[in-house]
Amino acid sequence: MFNIYTLLLILIGCVLQDHAYPADELMPLTCRGRVRGLEPSRGDVDDALGMFSLTLIDTLDTLVLLNKTAEFEAAVRRVLKDVRLDNDVVVSVFETNIRVLGGLLGGHSMAVMLKDAGHYMQWYQDELLHMAKDLGLRLLPAFNTSSGLPYPRVNLKHGVRGPESRTGTETDTCTACAGTIILEFAALSRFTGDPVFEVHARRALNFLWEKRQRNSNLVGTTINIHSGEWVRRDSGVGAGIDSYYEYLLKAYILLGDDLFLQRFNIHYASIMKYISQPPLLLDVHIHKPLLPARTWMDSLLAFFPGLQVLKGDIRPAIETHEMLYQVTKKHNFLPEAFTTDFRVHWAQHPLRPEFAESTYFLYKATKDPYYLEVGRTVLDNLNRFARVPCGFAAMKDVRTGSHEDRMDSFFLAEMFKYLFLLFAEEEDLPFNVEDYIFTTEAHLLPLSLSTAPHAASLPHLSASEELDDSNFDWTCPNTRLLFPDPAFPRNLRDPIRSAVDKSCPRPALHREPGMGRPPLRAQDFMANNPDHLELLRRMGVSLIHLKDGRVQLVQHATQAVSAVAAEDGMRFMQEMMELSSQQQKEQLPPRAVQIISHPFFGRVVLTAGPAQFGTDLFKSITGVRGFVTVAEPYSGCAELSNAAFVQGRIALLQRGQCMFAEKARHIMKAGAIGGIVIDDNEGSSSDTAPLFQMAGDGRNTDDVTLPLLFLFYKEGNILLEALKEYREVEVLLSDKARDRGEIHWTEQRVTSQRFGHTYSFQGFSLFVLSSTLKIFLSLQSSLSLP
């Protein structure tokens, strides 16, 4: 199995070299490199790009792990020859530290190991380490704050100098951004003998520790880097905090400082008390940790079972991992966020490796072959749904199978590494990985750094912070003693599998006599349903109709019929607030344009917007399949002059000049079986614009019986370029991408797999008052859900 990964890595390495180098990332759909400033901005995502061949540096130690030492040596020479670190570009301190500094240090570790073995890299004289120190010095100005917390961004050439360098004006940073520095900076200090880097990383960690909420011992998600005030007080183990906890434990492992273990254990006890609700991990408020902060989970928390394995807490690791696996099987990939009843909250999947990471660590701890099956599922889904001609493409929407033109560097740095390690036998590995620790980007740092000389000036415990032996668990677990029954892990997993399959959001509560009914969920609520109003009354929630057409929901817990009913009412109000806050973010259910002809074979899936008229692809089992041709006129606003070519095909049309329904009627008259309207606004993309739904023309459109889909300019251009190069291009218009193995049998045996209803409240405005929860809902007619 592992040879597959080696083969794929060589393939992608060739693609990167041929199509992307020296760009930071590969764009796998358009087969070219992503150069910052030449592509439409993706906001904060682009802060990882610094014009320093990011993917190449991030992948250096992966090459060695896969025993590709000749390729590694060539890659190091290329980095030394071509990469510049003094570019006038603003980058994320966090991303640059874990990906580039970590990549250089991991590469240096591998180079030294190979050189000492006496076969490769005999010419190496610490050149990667010198580059790492140069980069570390370029990051240091970000730490010039009164708190020691770094600015979130730094200019590689000019440092932090205010507006002229486009830096220094930020006031906030995420906890993970400030707390995920210590491994790389301490390694840099101990490799070079210069303590300045480790000093700054420890100072930032000390400040975060001091600012924890003292009653709950939790940290918030976002902090003011000057005042230390928490800007976002929600706390979890996912996005914004995740690797802060990871680095506390791993700093103890790498550096041998008991202080880090004590702090981690104190945090961990609070996580398990307030956040962990097996198998769920739910955010809470740091000042009121018994109060949930949201009703969904993000995919970044998938690293946590792996961290629990390092901690030695295997049981909850098994439970949470199993929940994540069942969600993965439900949607093919782990959605970027999903609800507590396992529906899609954010539909993207940027090929994140955290779930594969936890799978590897659980297999290492238990040797349960079940986790090899999990790994095979991950690998199969990558090959079936994400593989495209020029690499692997991130999923724009796991429900439809549509792609983004994106392959982040962490896909090669982490995903390949953990999948390879999962299946590799000991003799397949060129060195003992037990001698190294994995950073959050899976870079390899040698544990021997714990004994490396370091300056006595490093900060130690303050007089007020003495080590408490009660906060230590020094023993490593023996899983054979923990789980003497081989069936024990399966017994933990089976109930979770059942819960996800049934989409059961919460365990049944013992209800008070007289309640008799299940609690009302926000997504089921209808304001004109007498039964729902009665349930609201019993939960202490009242509904008031206002003169401006809105309704006001108010909860008074003391008016509920019981404490359990009051709890249900609180949960209902929280869910209602969550639904209302999502209103501005909601997207229309997307459709898919899947290119199924040679050489794509279904690997390229484009996100498309639906029309309010014509064939509803959600109701079509097979979708509509056909070859595409450009309509003449391209606008589709007059009778087609190439009707003979359009007949029996899917017509491509340009947006503008007339109504969409008019275009549909013209191509239908010409005998087309479908139509695709392509945006004429150059640069538009579904990456940056909300999904577009084509409206009718105000007339009855029942006469339009073919499907019409809308593609933004970027996605449409991919289709036009394919048509230009291959002339005969066949596509499938459907509600979601089909498995490539089934495409040739679409007419006979495609099963419609519609995802759950998309619920929306029309025109919500939300206000929350401090002492009494109130929600004001603007209603178009009645508050009912489909």
Side-chain angles (χ1 to χ4, degrees), residues 408-606:
D408 289 87
S409 65
F410 53 65
F411 180 68
L412 296 182
E414 298 184 70
M415 181 72 86
F416 265 120
K417 196 172 287 174
Y418 286 123
L419 286 176
F420 176 80
L421 286 169
L422 177 64
F423 291 100
E425 301 293 341
E426 187 172 339
E427 59 268 21
D428 302 322
L429 301 177
F431 58 90
N432 186 0
V433 295
E434 302 296 336
D435 293 335
Y436 297 81
I437 194 165
F438 292 101
T439 70
T440 195
E441 190 77 4
H443 292 305
L444 293 153
L445 297 179
L447 293 175
S448 58
L449 287 173
S450 63
T451 61
H454 57 284
S457 61
L458 291 176
H460 295 288
L461 288 173
S462 64
S464 61
E465 186 178 1
E466 297 182 359
L467 291 177
D468 180 356
D469 287 342
S470 66
N471 291 316
F472 289 88
D473 181 0
W474 298 103
T475 60
C476 296
N478 184 322
T479 54
R480 286 176 297 178
L481 296 177
L482 282 175
F483 308 135
D485 179 3
F488 184 74
R490 186 178 70 244
N491 294 338
L492 292 178
R493 293 191 294 256
D494 285 347
I496 296 166
R497 181 181 302 116
S498 176
V500 177
D501 286 344
K502 296 175 182 177
S503 295
C504 180
R506 57 190 276 238
L509 296 172
H510 296 290
R511 312 207 62 75
E512 295 284 343
M515 284 295 289
R517 306 169 184 170
L520 179 63
R521 302 299 304 274
Q523 63 262 35
D524 301 326
F525 174 60
M526 292 185 292
N528 56 357
N529 185 316
D531 291 336
H532 290 183
L533 296 178
E534 171 61 15
L535 278 174
L536 289 187
R537 185 192 68 78
R538 300 181 70 85
M539 294 188 297
V541 179
S542 57
L543 183 146
I544 304 170
H545 291 271
L546 304 178
K547 293 181 179 179
D548 60 4
R550 297 182 297 164
V551 295
Q552 176 185 5
L553 292 176
V554 182
Q555 189 200 24
H556 299 283
T558 57
Q559 296 179 8
V561 298
S562 68
V564 172
E567 179 188 347
D568 288 337
M570 179 68 73
R571 184 175 291 107
F572 172 82
M573 296 291 282
Q574 291 163 359
E575 291 179 358
M576 191 67 78
M577 285 188 288
E578 180 68 31
L579 284 172
S580 61
S581 66
Q582 291 173 22
Q583 175 62 27
Q584 297 302 318
K585 302 177 183 178
E586 280 188 351
Q587 295 183 350
L588 299 165
R591 307 296 190 268
V593 175
Q594 188 171 11
I595 307 178
I596 60 177
S597 54
H598 172 83
F600 307 97
F601 301 119
R603 291 173 178 162
V604 174
V605 184
L606 307 173

Side-chain angles (χ1 to χ4, degrees), residues 622-644:
T622 62
V624 173
R625 174 178 178 173
F627 289 90
V628 297
T629 191
V630 177
E632 296 178 6
Y634 187 27
S635 67
C637 294
E639 191 168 320
L640 302 193
S641 60
N642 64 337

Side-chain angles (χ1 to χ4, degrees), residues 588 609-613 660 675 677 692-696 708-711:
L588 299 165
Q612 296 176 353
F613 53 87
F660 295 114
V677 178
F692 187 84
Q693 185 179 37
M694 295 177 288
L708 194 70
L709 297 183
F710 178 86
L711 291 177

Side-chain angles (χ1 to χ4, degrees), residues 16 33 164 184 345 349 525 551 597 608 760:
L16 287 169
E164 66 273 14
E184 292 82 5
H345 182 75
H349 173 74
F525 174 60
V551 295
S597 54
S760 63

